[in-house]
């Protein structure tokens, strides 16, 4: 046993011996138990843990044992198979079990998870977006796994940008300490360790990035349930009710008195001490404060609250999320509400009668004496290798094998023990029988192999049912070398083969195994269930010589034909297993010696077993036979979770001690939906079946036979060649070309050809297809062209593994090309996927089915193409159809030759040239004439081009002047009056809303008053003495301005202060606030209103900033007055109000009243820097080429500048603030970044913003130009309207004026005319379409004339658009 395990055992033993309560409890035994209830628990601190650490629930001969589980999926599997009767499950594994139809029912909701679980990370991950590119771990299909995935999705991160590994909590702790991960999601001792211990190589301990409670408020609620095995619930409803009542009573007592005097007191509370002791049973060191804090972070509902909680809805939601994330492979949407409601049985809650009774009172007061757990063996238990020789007379020589555990100690974790059972002679057999078994399935197991290394049986679990026997006889065909190799193979990965001191003791350990008949291996994992109270665990078995004269005694089968006298063996009926065909399920690997038959995993009328691992060997017996398999019977296996495979080898890993490295994967993985076509194999075949721990089904019926090759009768979709081999049509596979989907390896030797994945309309899950391409003759270049391609794409919220990979040579090393599809990371994207090809350098290019892909194979001169599909496809995909060719000169109907070349024998050769003719004396004269005419044409063309160039240049200058004039006129128009109706709500009506309500709702109720032009507003102000208030704030969620009501509370307070300030009642106050006043449904109306924001802000009597301290609901970043001032739209509102009205009526709303925004009359300098502030569109990198809000803001801000400049005498203070900073406040250009549709790559362009419009505006005002006069010599600015039309990044002006021919002299000349419109380095591509590696999108930056840049945070502005 490893040193740390030994130290842990000693520490816990000493703790138990020193505790008087343990000593008292130790005197109690379970000898008088008539019934035993097995409950699965975790190391979490919870009030109901007091039941597990005491004998509180025991009575009337019923004893309760509590088995600690590593995570929920383990508990779920043991509960479904009957190894546990009750178990605490997180809502995520429970949701999986319901969707899959497991034999499990929830009977109570124990707690709503909040702060006891969460995502913990190292110092580098200081915010959610910093999770990109990092590695995180979580237990598979657990609530922590769900929380982690939901966090990634809600942070707006493509899950492909984060590496999520699923590991047990102990493995997460080990990886954290080793510095192998950046964070993880877990609970109990795992999260406590990460929060108190620095990650390997770090100085600072981990911190909580987000807890489950916060994620729950994002509509990803998690909770724990108490679940029951359905058979146990039907058999013992009284015991289930007793558990529900006890757990509810403990939780109620805790909620009623936690932290006060009594058992739950922080200081000295006995109940809190019991929970602490339970939490540390497996060697934890959590303090009382740690335990108290962990429990306080969660909520424990009463039985009344549970009965009112429709948990079917979050259960189904979790299942749907897991399915979309490829963590569940059964579509939950196929079941209705009633199905999920039936998975929760509230009957025990309805009769729970003692919930409100204190724990110390009758009935059944909680005892304070605790029970010592069953701890692992300190000496490692069984010996690593033992030689068991059976040499005495039959029936008297029976060797006993055991794991080394005892009544007061469990078997050792991380152990591998091996027994080699030998017989005295060549004519002898051994029967192996298991008399006792209690292990944690499938992680702790007992396996039996024959001398040649074939798996014959696996034993696991603690169901108590009779175990099948194994009979093995001495086999002369297995030589001593093979026996030793088997021994070594069974020790691979153990401390014997790979000891910590670096030595290799396997050779010595395997010395003396020459007479071995069978091997018995006992292997355990690192986790221990720590049962409380102690119960017997492990195994006991015997190996004894067989009486050769005794009959076989086949129960459900017949004696094998041709068996040697005395070496009888049974041929079982389909589905029966064991040496005597005594159990109704398959066991180990069976040799099929007949010429045909049927294979089943369980007999008719039975479901196959959980954790099955069975195999059937079929040999061709070397007579030019073929193995024919036909799935024309039943196939009813749970897709993905349970698998049926066919290998062209007998030595397959998991079924043989020494695997055949050439068996590189399954030849076929049939699913329930595949065409059940017969398949032929030329070699020996191994059929395997494996199941997981849930949901047994009827299985399958596979017929097999040995047949002679006959191409004429067997070739289904192909033609016979001269060698009588069936040459398949495209998309058909197998020796008989009968399979409509690819499987296994296919060898192709030619200069080119066609590869089609299949002819099925929906390819299967977990496919592995390989095509080995040998170029004839050898070639360095492989060309690929797709006729069609339809694969499951990688989405923003799930990783798909449906890929085509191209390797140079064999499968060694990395693929030189990886081809897949991706859905662009754009919200609500509905378009087609983008096809990507990635090289070894990591660069990603896009391509279409019309493109030719060229692959450099280097020195390999051959290629291997592999097609993999992942575990589940939510819809049908057809696969791909491609043509390939080696070398550039290959040709056929698909690959035509270039001009001047013709195709001969599948190669392009130069076309023959016409016969040359003799020159005549007149040829020279003709040549001179031709040259003269050509020279004249060139001269005339040059003159014409010059004239045309002058006219086009003049035309472009005029068009540019027109655009500048129109932009100046439009800017003045935008600020002269409203561009959209100005909508307000009365102050008293606003306060009565209770929350921020969208514009359309209030409009339909008649609560909104509309002012179409500024004149109407002025008239209303004069006639009704109304006061107009503009409330400016920052949104606290992407899709909701105020999800938790923080801003509304501050706004109602501000409105009251405004009424007091103005001296009017609330009813005379007219309030403008974005969500209320701007249309939210009609996007056209919304855009017009948004463009009018500066005008709206400047027309109000009071401008009030509402920016209390809050947390952004989606980014979890702090939002306050500082972040408000960082937003471009907020700065625009401030600038507009200041430019027209000064700072006198601009305020911050605080708890103590309205405070001036500029106490000394001067705004902060950054308040005027509108275009260096943050914008949501820039933070999202303008998906699909959406316009930037900077362009929408440009003209209104230009209009306000024109006002300031035109009235600079009257507005001297404003002009003096602006004049020295014109280039910084009104940048000529800005950098526009958009996420390309190729899966996250980005393209950055430097685009015009103000251009020369500021200079043009000043010149226009100074010259007194009218609205129709042109402005020559100035570059125009941006136009959001043209951006709407031209999403590719070019303005409509440039699109029409600049020629398409890149790099021509005319283009360079024309570009020089537009020097002010766009810099010469106008386009920086971060995603070359051919070879440049894609970059993740970066925030938008504004570039002033000085070249300064500002990074922008991703936060929503006060505009809902």
């Amino acid at each position: 046993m490893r040193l740390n395990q030994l130290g842990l055992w000693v520490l816990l033993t000493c703790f138990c011996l020193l505790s008087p309560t343990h000593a008292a409890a130790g005197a109690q035994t379970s000898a008088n138990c008539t019934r035993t209830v097995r409950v699965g628990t975790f190391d979490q601190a919870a009030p109901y843990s007091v039941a597990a650490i005491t004998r509180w629930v025991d009575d009337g001969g019923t004893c309760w044992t509590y088995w600690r589980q590593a995570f929920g999926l383990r508990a779920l599997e043991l509960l479904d198979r009957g190894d546990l009767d009750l178990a605490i499950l997180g809502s995520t594994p429970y949701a999986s079990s319901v969707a899959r139809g497991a034999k499990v029912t929830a009977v109570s909701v124990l707690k709503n998870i909040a702060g006891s679980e969460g995502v913990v990370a190292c110092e580098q991950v200081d915010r959610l977006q910093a999770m990109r590119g990092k590695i995180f771990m979580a237990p598979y299909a657990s609530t922590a796994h769900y929380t982690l995935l939901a966090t990634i999705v809600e942070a707006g991160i493509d899950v492909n940008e984060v590496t999520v590994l699923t590991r047990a909590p102990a493995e997460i702790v080990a990886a954290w300490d080793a510095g192998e991960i950046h964070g993880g999601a877990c609970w109990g001792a795992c999260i406590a360790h990460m929060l108190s211990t620095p990650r390997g190589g770090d100085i600072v301990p981990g911190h909580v990035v987000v807890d489950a409670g916060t994620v729950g408020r994002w509509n990803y609620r998690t909770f724990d349930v108490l679940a029951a095995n359905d058979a146990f619930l039907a058999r013992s409803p009284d015991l289930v009710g007793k558990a529900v009542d006890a757990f509810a009573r403990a939780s109620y007592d805790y909620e009623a008195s936690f932290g006060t005097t009594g058992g739950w007191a922080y200081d000295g509370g006995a109940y809190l001490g019991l929970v602490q002791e339970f939490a540390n049973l497996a060697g934890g060191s959590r303090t009382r404060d740690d335990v108290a804090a962990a429990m306080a972070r969660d909520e424990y509902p009463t039985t009344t609250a549970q009965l009112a909680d429709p948990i079917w809805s979050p259960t189904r939601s979790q299942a749907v999320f897991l399915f979309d994330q490829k963590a569940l492979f059964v579509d939950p949407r196929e079941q209705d509400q009633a199905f999920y409601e039936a998975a929760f049985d509230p009957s025990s809650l309805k009769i729970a009668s003692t919930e409100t009774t204190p724990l110390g009172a009758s009935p059944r007061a909680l005892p304070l004496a605790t029970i010592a757990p069953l701890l692992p063996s300190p000496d490692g238990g069984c010996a690593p290798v033992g030689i068991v020789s059976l040499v005495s007379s039959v029936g008297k020589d029976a060797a006993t094998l055991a794991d080394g555990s005892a009544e007061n100690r469990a078997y050792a974790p991380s152990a591998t023990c091996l027994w080699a059972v030998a017989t005295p002679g060549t004519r002898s057999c051994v029967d192996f029988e298991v008399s006792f078994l209690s292990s944690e399935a499938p992680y702790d197991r007992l396996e039996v192999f024959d001398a040649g290394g074939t798996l014959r049986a696996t034993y696991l679990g603690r169901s108590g049912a009779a175990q099948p026997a194994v009979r093995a006889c001495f086999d002369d065909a297995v030589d001593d070398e093979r026996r030793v190799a088997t021994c070594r193979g069974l020790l691979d990965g153990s401390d014997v083969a790979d000891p910590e001191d670096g030595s290799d003791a396997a050779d010595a350990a395997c010395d003396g195994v020459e007479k071995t008949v069978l091997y018995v291996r006992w292997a355990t994992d690192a986790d221990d269930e720590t049962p409380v109270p102690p119960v017997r665990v492990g195994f006991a078995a015997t190996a004894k010589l067989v009486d050769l004269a005794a009959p076989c005694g086949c129960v459900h089968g017949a004696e094998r034909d041709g068996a040697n006298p005395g070496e009888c063996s049974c041929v079982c009926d389909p589905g029966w297993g064991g040496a005597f065909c005594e159990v109704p399920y398959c066991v180990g690997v069976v040799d099929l010696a007949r010429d045909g038959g049927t294979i089943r995993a369980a007999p008719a009328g039975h479901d196959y077993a959980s954790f099955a691992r069975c195999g059937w060997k079929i040999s061709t017996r070397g007579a030019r036979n073929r193995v024919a398999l036909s799935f024309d019977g039943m196939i009813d296996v749970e897709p993905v979770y349970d698998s049926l495979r066919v290998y062209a080898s007998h030595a397959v890993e998991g079924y043989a001690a020494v695997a055949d490295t050439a068996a590189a994967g399954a030849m076929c993985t049939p699913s329930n939906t595949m065409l059940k076509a017969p398949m032929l194999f030329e070699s020996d075949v191994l059929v395997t079946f494996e199941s997981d721990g849930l949901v047994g089904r009827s299985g399958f019926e596979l017929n097999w036979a040995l047949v002679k090759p006959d191409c004429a009768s067997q070739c289904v979709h192909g033609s016979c060649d001269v060698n009588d081999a069936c040459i398949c049509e495209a998309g058909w596979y197998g020796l008989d070309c009968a399979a409509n989907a690819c499987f296994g390896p296919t060898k192709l030797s030619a200069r080119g050809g066609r590869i089609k994945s299949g002819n099925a309309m929906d390819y299967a899950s977990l496919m592995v297809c390989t095509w080995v391409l040998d170029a004839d003759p050898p070639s360095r270049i492989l060309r690929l062209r797709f006729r069609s391609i339809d694969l499951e794409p990688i989405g923003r919220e799930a990783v798909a593994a449906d890929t085509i990979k191209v390797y140079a040579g064999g499968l060694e090393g990395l693929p030189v090309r990886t081809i897949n599809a991706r859905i662009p990371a754009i919200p609500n994207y509905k378009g087609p996927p983008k096809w990507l090809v990635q090289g070894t350098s990591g660069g990603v290019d896009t391509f279409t089915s019309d493109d030719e892909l060229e692959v450099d194979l280097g020195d390999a001169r051959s290629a291997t193409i592999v097609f993999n599909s992942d575990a589940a496809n939510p819809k049908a995909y057809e696969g791909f159809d491609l043509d390939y060719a080696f070398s550039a000169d290959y040709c056929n109907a698909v690959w035509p030759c270039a001009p001047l070349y013709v195709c001969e024998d599948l190669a392009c050769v130069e076309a023959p040239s016409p016969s040359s003719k003799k020159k005549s004396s007149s040829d020279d004269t003709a040549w001179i004439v031709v040259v003269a005419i050509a020279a004249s044409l060139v001269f005339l063309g040059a003159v014409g081009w010059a004239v045309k160039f002058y006219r086009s240049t003049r035309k472009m200058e005029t068009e540019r002047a027109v655009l500048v004039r129109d932009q100046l006129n439009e800017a003045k128009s935008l600020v002269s009056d409203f561009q959209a109706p100005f909508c307000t709500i009365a102050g008293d009506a606003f306060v009565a809303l209770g929350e921020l309500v969208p514009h359309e709702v209030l409009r339909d109720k008649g609560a909104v008053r509309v002012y179409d032009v500024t004149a109407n507003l002025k008239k209303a102000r004069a006639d009704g003495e109304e006061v107009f208030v503009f409330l400016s704030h920052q949104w606290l969620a992407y899709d909701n301005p105020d999800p938790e009501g923080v801003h509304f509370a501050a706004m109602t307070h501000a409105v009251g202060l405004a009424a007091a300030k103005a001296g009017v009642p609330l009813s005379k106050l007219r309030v403008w606030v974005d969500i209320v006043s701007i249309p939210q449904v009609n996007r056209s109306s919304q855009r017009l209103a948004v463009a009018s924001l500066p005008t709206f802000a400047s027309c109000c009597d009071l401008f009030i900033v509402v920016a209390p301290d809050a947390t952004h609901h989606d980014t979890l970043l702090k939002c306050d007055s500082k972040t408000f001032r960082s937003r471009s739209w907020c700065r625009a509102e401030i600038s507009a109000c200041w430019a027209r009205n000064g700072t006198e009526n601009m305020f911050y709303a605080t708890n103590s009243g309205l405070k001036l925004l500029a106490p000394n009359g001067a705004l902060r300098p950054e308040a005027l820097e509108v275009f260096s502030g943050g914008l949501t569109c820039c933070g999202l990198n303008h998906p699909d080429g959406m316009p930037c809000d900077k362009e929408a803001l440009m003209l209104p801000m230009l209009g306000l500048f024109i006002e300031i400049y035109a009235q600079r005498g009257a507005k001297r203070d404003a002009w003096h603030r602006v004049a020295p900073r014109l280039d910084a406040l009104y940048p000529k250009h800005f950098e526009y970044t958009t996420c390309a549709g190729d899966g996250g790559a980005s393209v950055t362009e430097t685009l015009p913003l103000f251009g020369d419009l500021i200079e043009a505006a000043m010149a226009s005002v100074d010259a007194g130009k009218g609205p129709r006069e042109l402005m020559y010599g100035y570059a125009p600015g941006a136009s959001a309207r043209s951006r709407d039309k031209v999403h590719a990044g070019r303005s409509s002006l440039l699109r029409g004026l600049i020629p398409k021919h890149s790099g021509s002299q005319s283009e360079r000349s024309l570009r020089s005319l537009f020097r002010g419109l766009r810099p010469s380095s106008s386009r920086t591509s971060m995603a070359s379409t051919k070879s440049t590696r894609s970059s993740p999108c970066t925030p938008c930056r504004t570039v002033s004339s000085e070249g300064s840049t500002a990074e922008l945070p991703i936060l929503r502005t006060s505009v809902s658009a």
Side-chain angles (χ1 to χ4, degrees), residues 647-897:
Y647 295 86
S649 171
H650 282 175
V652 175
E653 185 176 359
Y655 297 87
V658 181
D660 180 4
T661 56
M667 294 289 291
C668 180
T669 308
S671 71
N672 293 350
T673 58
M674 277 188 65
L675 176 65
K676 302 169 185 177
M679 288 177 288
L680 293 177
F681 298 88
E682 291 180 311
S683 62
D684 294 345
V685 165
L686 177 68
V687 179
T688 67
F689 175 70
E690 295 180 24
S691 65
D692 73 341
L694 297 181
V695 190
R697 293 191 179 183
S698 302
F700 59 90
E701 187 174 280
L702 170 62
N703 296 316
W704 68 278
L706 298 181
V707 298
K708 297 294 183 180
D710 182 7
C711 181
S713 63
Q714 295 170 351
C715 192
V716 180
H717 293 281
S719 58
C720 300
D721 66 5
V722 295
N723 297 316
D724 206 30
C726 188
I727 306 302
C728 298
E729 299 169 1
W732 294 96
Y733 291 86
L735 292 176
D736 52 358
C737 303
N740 67 345
C742 60
F743 62 88
T746 301
K747 293 185 178 181
L748 301 172
S749 179
R751 300 188 63 189
R754 182 180 177 187
I755 298 175
K756 189 176 182 181
S757 59
N759 285 294
M761 297 303 294
D762 182 14
Y763 59 78
S765 301
L766 299 175
M767 293 183 69
V768 181
C769 302
T770 305
W771 294 267
V772 180
L773 310 180
D774 290 327
D776 184 15
S779 174
R780 183 187 181 97
I781 301 300
L782 173 65
R783 299 152 63 201
L784 302 175
R785 179 178 291 168
F786 285 91
R787 298 187 182 199
S788 65
I789 181 168
D790 183 26
L791 307 182
E792 183 189 16
I794 299 174
R796 174 178 172 269
E797 298 181 358
V799 179
D802 297 359
T803 58
I804 302 170
K805 297 180 180 179
V806 182
Y807 294 82
L811 297 178
E812 301 81 11
L814 298 174
V816 292
R817 291 292 185 274
T818 299
I819 299 168
N820 54 28
R822 181 185 291 271
I823 296 295
I826 299 173
N828 301 316
Y829 179 82
K830 301 297 184 183
K834 303 298 182 182
W835 295 103
L836 310 178
V837 56
Q838 178 176 340
T840 53
S841 63
V844 177
D845 298 333
T846 61
F847 73 96
T848 69
S849 59
D850 296 328
D851 293 333
E852 178 180 308
L853 303 180
E854 188 173 285
V855 182
D856 189 341
L857 302 175
D859 296 330
R861 302 298 197 270
S862 64
T864 302
I865 298 178
V866 179
F867 172 49
N868 293 94
S869 64
D870 72 344
N873 289 338
K875 59 180 248 184
Y877 297 94
E878 295 184 11
F880 66 90
D881 187 357
L882 67 81
D883 292 282
Y884 71 93
F886 286 104
S887 77
D889 64 348
Y890 174 82
C891 61
N892 62 8
V894 177
W895 304 89
C897 295

Side-chain angles (χ1 to χ4, degrees), residues 81 164 243 321 464 590 604 637 665 689 862 870 886 1202 1211 1240 1272 1361:
R81 67 180 263 118
V164 177
F321 181 84
V590 177
V637 298
F689 175 70
S862 64
D870 72 344
F886 286 104
I1202 294 173
K1211 296 185 176 182
Y1272 284 95

Side-chain angles (χ1 to χ4, degrees), residues 72-81 89 93 96-97 102 104 694:
L73 182 60
R74 286 194 175 191
L76 174 61
E77 289 175 331
L78 299 184
L79 186 64
D80 181 76
R81 67 180 263 118
L89 298 177
S96 298
S97 73
V104 171
L694 297 181

